[in-house]
């Protein structure tokens, strides 16, 4: 029993004389930290197509049989002093990048992004042979002029301010119908129908009585009597006017002194009869619509604009209307209004185009082809639309770096033209090469590489309490322990 105790005391004495190895062990968070740093210094190998394969020596991939390539450390093998800054990015918006330090739109200082870092994931390194086998193609982001001609279909409708409703203000029976066809052209002041109304006959008789009473007392010396008769005559005349009796008809009534049996309704505007709800001999009530007349000398074309085309369409832009059923005739107009709501069934927004239609070539409810020439977007940084990966919440492109490296970069896009280019508002700088094919494979490899790096990172042991040191550990070792504990320690050195 004495020899093991002597051996233990010798080891403890040696630890006090030579504390550096043990102190290093303690600072390295125990045995786990020391072993992790030792193994991290060794070279690892992985497969370019299957980054989850990580081994200690070169060879072939057990899945695809390709040669394994050296796995770079997470830090790129460079010290902090050797790292090179590629660009500067906003802390709260990874799509806001600049080639020099400054302030973000939120007023925060831009932070540097180094050669071995990426804003949208983990940089992927692929050997040239694998890049060629994957069919990776790149295109440089360049400034260009983006323009789009919106091609859609439109529907011809009458102008709303040029549609008029004709109705009677009194109840009665239609005795004569002068306009008896839908689509018939009418002129302003033209007779539409004649209606018999007992109320109207009574109103004419009251007016004649008031007129006779006023003529009888006109020369009276009593001013109150003359004024009362005048006011009664004016009230009777206003009643007839309110029932659409024209001044000419009232003048004819004063001249003939005989009430007319029927009232003639005249057209207040010129146009065509779009709707006819009356027949000869029909009883009609006051306020019921009898005719609807529309002037189609000017019409509207309602063009359907899809939601993704809305950034290109604005009021005041020129438009071409092609009439497919009139020999392909083209009529030019201007977009006058864009409606502020979306049609729920078609998911489109209506753009209104006003056109002259003197010959009535544009018929209501006719379908026409519409071409709207949008305003160009000049000096727009653009890339091919296939270079952008859209996940629903983020938009990502892969920037090709030197040495077979590809960086995932978050971007923010704008309008897209008809030639297949999309505007990049933030996230790219002119001249950077972006990948236009095999991005999904690069995206998958970037995510797998990020997962592998997280799994390979050594777990950090909890920090030692403040004031704890080697002396406290030695005191704990030599403190009085129960008999069972001492026996276990003796068994350790037997």
């Amino acid at each position: 029993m004495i020899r093991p105790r002597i051996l233990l005391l010798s080891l403890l004495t040696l630890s006090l004389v030579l504390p550096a190895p043990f102190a290093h062990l303690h600072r390295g968070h125990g045995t786990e930290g020391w072993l992790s740093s030792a193994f991290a210094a060794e070279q690892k190998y992985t497969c370019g197509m299957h980054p989850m394969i990580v081994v200690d020596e070169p060879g072939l991939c057990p899945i695809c049989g390709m040669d394994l390539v050296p796995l770079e450390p997470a830090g790129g093998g460079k010290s902090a002093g050797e790292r090179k800054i590629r660009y500067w990015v906003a802390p709260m918006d990874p799509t806001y990048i600049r080639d020099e330090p400054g302030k973000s739109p939120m007023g925060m200082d831009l932070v540097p992004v180094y050669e071995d870092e990426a804003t949208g994931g983990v940089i992927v390194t692929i050997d040239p042979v694998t890049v060629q086998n994957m069919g990776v193609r790149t295109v440089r982001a360049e400034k260009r002029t983006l323009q789009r001609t919106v091609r859609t279909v439109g529907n011809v409708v009458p102008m709303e301010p040029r549609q008029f409703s004709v109705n009677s203000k009194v109840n009665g029976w239609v005795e004569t119908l002068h306009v008896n066809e839908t689509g018939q052209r009418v002129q302003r002041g033209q007779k539409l129908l004649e209606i018999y109304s007992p109320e109207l006959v009574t109103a004419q008789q009251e007016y004649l009585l008031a007129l006779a009473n006023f003529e009888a007392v006109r020369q009276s010396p009593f001013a109150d009597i003359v004024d009362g008769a005048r006011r009664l005559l004016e009230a009777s005349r206003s009643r007839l006017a309110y029932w659409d009796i024209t001044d000419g008809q009232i003048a004819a009534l004063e001249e003939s002194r005989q009430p007319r049996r029927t009232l003639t309704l005249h057209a207040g505007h010129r146009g065509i009869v779009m709707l006819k709800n009356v027949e000869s001999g029909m009883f009609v009530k006051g306020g019921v619509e009898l005719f609807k007349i529309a002037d189609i000398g000017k019409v509207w074309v309602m063009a359907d604009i899809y939601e993704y085309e809305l950034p290109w369409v604005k009021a005041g832009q020129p438009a071409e209307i092609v009439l497919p059923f009139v020999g392909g005739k083209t009529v030019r107009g201007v977009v006058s209004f864009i409606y502020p709501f979306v049609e729920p069934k078609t998911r489109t927004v209506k753009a209104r185009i006003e056109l002259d239609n003197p010959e009535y070539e544009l018929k209501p409810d006719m379908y026409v082809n519409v071409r709207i020439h949008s305003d160009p977007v000049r000096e727009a940084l653009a890339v091919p639309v296939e270079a952008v990966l859209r996940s629903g919440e983020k938009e990502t492109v892969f920037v090709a770096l030197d040495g077979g490296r590809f960086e995932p970069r978050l971007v923010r896009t704008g309008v897209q033209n008809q030639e297949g280019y999309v505007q990049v508002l933030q996230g790219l700088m002119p001249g950077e090469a972006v990948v236009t094919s095999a991005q999904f494979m690069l995206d998958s490899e970037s995510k797998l590489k990020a997962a592998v790096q997280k799994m390979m990172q050594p777990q950090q042991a909890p920090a030692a309490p403040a004031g704890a040191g080697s002396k406290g550990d030695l005191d704990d070792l030599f403190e009085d322990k129960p008999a069972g504990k001492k026996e276990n320690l003796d068994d350790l050195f037997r």
Side-chain angles (χ1 to χ4, degrees):
M1 296 296 293
I2 298 177
R3 181 172 298 176
R5 292 181 182 275
I6 295 174
L7 180 59
L8 177 60
L9 292 174
S10 301
L11 292 175
L12 294 176
T13 304
L14 184 61
S15 66
L16 294 175
V17 176
L18 300 174
F22 293 91
H24 172 73
L25 181 62
H26 180 72
R27 288 194 300 268
H29 307 291
T31 308
E32 287 183 317
W34 181 74
L35 291 176
S36 299
S37 61
F39 282 109
E42 297 180 3
Q43 178 64 58
K44 302 289 185 179
Y45 295 86
T46 184
C47 176
M49 300 299 294
H50 304 89
M52 74 288 296
I53 304 298
V54 181
V55 296
D56 298 332
E57 57 186 10
L60 299 179
C61 176
I63 298 178
C64 62
M66 294 179 59
D67 292 334
L68 300 180
V69 296
L71 180 64
E72 293 185 358
K78 295 182 180 180
S79 62
E82 298 176 354
R83 301 174 71 187
K84 181 180 179 182
I85 298 176
R86 288 196 294 112
Y87 54 86
W88 300 75
V89 65
M92 303 300 294
D93 186 3
T95 64
Y96 185 85
I97 66 173
R98 292 294 183 269
D99 55 357
E100 60 184 3
K103 296 285 186 179
S104 69
M106 300 178 64
M108 303 177 66
D109 292 332
L110 302 180
V111 297
V113 176
Y114 297 94
E115 289 285 350
D116 55 349
E117 295 178 345
T119 59
V122 178
I123 293 180
V124 179
T125 303
I126 305 177
D127 61 279
V129 177
T130 306
V131 171
Q132 185 175 3
N133 293 337
M134 292 171 59
V136 176
R137 297 191 302 271
T138 61
V139 173
R140 294 195 176 276
E142 299 176 348
K143 290 188 176 182
R144 59 179 65 236
T145 299
L146 301 181
Q147 191 172 10
R148 187 183 187 95
T149 300
V150 179
R151 292 178 171 84
T152 182
V153 66
N155 186 31
V156 179
V157 297
M159 295 179 61
E160 293 177 1
R162 291 173 173 259
Q163 298 185 53
F164 313 98
S165 178
V166 178
N167 57 75
S168 173
K169 293 181 174 62
V170 295
N171 300 334
W173 287 263
V174 178
E175 290 195 351
T176 305
L177 196 61
H178 297 287
V179 176
N180 201 18
E181 297 178 3
T182 302
Q184 182 177 347
R185 295 190 184 185
V186 296
Q187 300 296 327
R188 180 184 178 88
Q190 182 178 339
K191 294 181 179 181
L192 298 178
L193 57 84
E194 294 182 3
I195 183 174
Y196 163 68
S197 173
E199 298 175 358
L200 185 59
V201 174
T202 302
Q204 293 180 75
Q205 293 174 346
E206 291 177 352
Y207 177 73
L208 292 177
L209 290 175
L211 178 61
N213 180 54
F214 175 74
E215 291 177 348
V217 300
R218 179 184 301 177
Q219 303 298 330
S220 174
F222 301 99
D224 293 342
I225 296 177
V226 177
D227 185 64
R230 182 183 296 105
R231 285 188 283 112
L232 180 61
L233 178 63
E234 292 177 353
S236 301
R237 184 184 182 91
S238 298
R239 185 180 183 185
L240 292 177
Y242 290 155
W243 280 350
D244 290 343
I245 303 297
T246 64
D247 293 340
Q249 291 174 329
I250 295 176
L253 177 64
E254 294 175 353
E255 183 179 355
S256 65
R257 301 299 174 102
Q258 293 293 329
R260 295 190 55 184
R261 185 173 182 274
T262 60
L263 167 67
T264 303
L265 294 183
H266 297 80
H269 306 84
R270 72 181 185 93
I272 62 173
V273 178
M274 301 290 296
L275 181 66
K276 171 177 166 292
N277 289 328
V278 62
E279 302 292 343
S280 181
M282 173 185 277
F283 175 78
V284 296
K285 292 184 177 182
V288 176
E289 186 177 50
L290 306 178
F291 296 96
K292 178 179 286 187
I293 298 175
D295 183 6
I296 61 173
K298 286 188 175 182
V299 294
W300 286 345
V301 173
M302 310 297 287
D304 291 321
I305 308 298
Y306 289 101
E307 296 177 61
Y308 71 92
E309 296 174 327
L310 284 177
W312 291 102
V313 181
K314 296 179 176 59
Q317 292 176 339
E320 295 180 355
I321 312 301
V322 181
L323 312 181
F325 306 109
V326 192
K329 181 179 178 180
T330 301
V331 182
R332 300 186 182 277
V334 176
V335 178
S336 60
F337 185 72
I338 299 176
Y339 284 81
F341 54 83
V342 177
E343 295 288 339
K345 294 183 178 179
T346 61
R347 306 305 304 170
T348 58
V349 176
K350 298 292 185 182
R352 190 172 73 201
I353 305 170
E354 184 176 330
L355 297 175
D356 293 330
N357 189 32
E359 302 297 330
Y360 292 1
E361 290 182 333
L362 296 170
K363 309 293 190 297
D365 294 330
M366 175 186 287
Y367 284 101
V368 294
N369 296 326
V370 180
R371 292 196 296 261
I372 301 175
H373 301 286
S374 63
D375 299 330
V377 180
R378 307 184 186 278
E379 294 296 319
L381 184 63
V383 297
V385 66
E386 59 268 16
V388 183
L389 293 178
R390 293 180 171 89
S391 63
E393 296 181 354
K394 298 179 180 179
E395 295 177 318
T396 308
V397 299
F398 276 86
V399 180
L401 308 176
D402 55 348
R405 297 181 302 154
F406 300 92
E407 174 199 358
R409 185 87 61 81
L410 296 177
V411 297
R412 185 175 299 170
T413 60
V415 295
Q416 176 182 338
N417 70 351
Q418 59 194 10
E419 298 177 356
Y421 285 90
V422 61
Q423 181 186 15
V424 179
L425 300 176
Q426 291 183 183
L428 279 179
M429 290 182 287
E432 291 187 309
V434 297
V435 179
T436 59
S437 63
Q439 305 98 309
F440 291 99
M441 301 177 67
L442 295 175
D443 186 46
S444 301
E445 188 166 353
S446 176
K447 293 179 179 178
L448 288 175
K449 188 174 180 181
V452 169
Q453 286 187 2
K454 290 181 180 179
M455 291 187 295
M456 293 185 63
Q457 290 178 355
Q459 296 183 356
Q460 300 293 332
S470 59
K471 185 177 182 302
D473 297 339
L474 293 177
D475 293 341
D476 294 340
L477 183 61
F478 285 100
E479 69 179 0
D480 295 336
K481 297 184 178 295
K485 296 293 182 179
K486 292 181 179 180
E487 292 176 0
N488 295 338
L489 188 60
D490 294 339
D491 295 337
L492 179 63
F493 294 93
R494 286 177 183 173

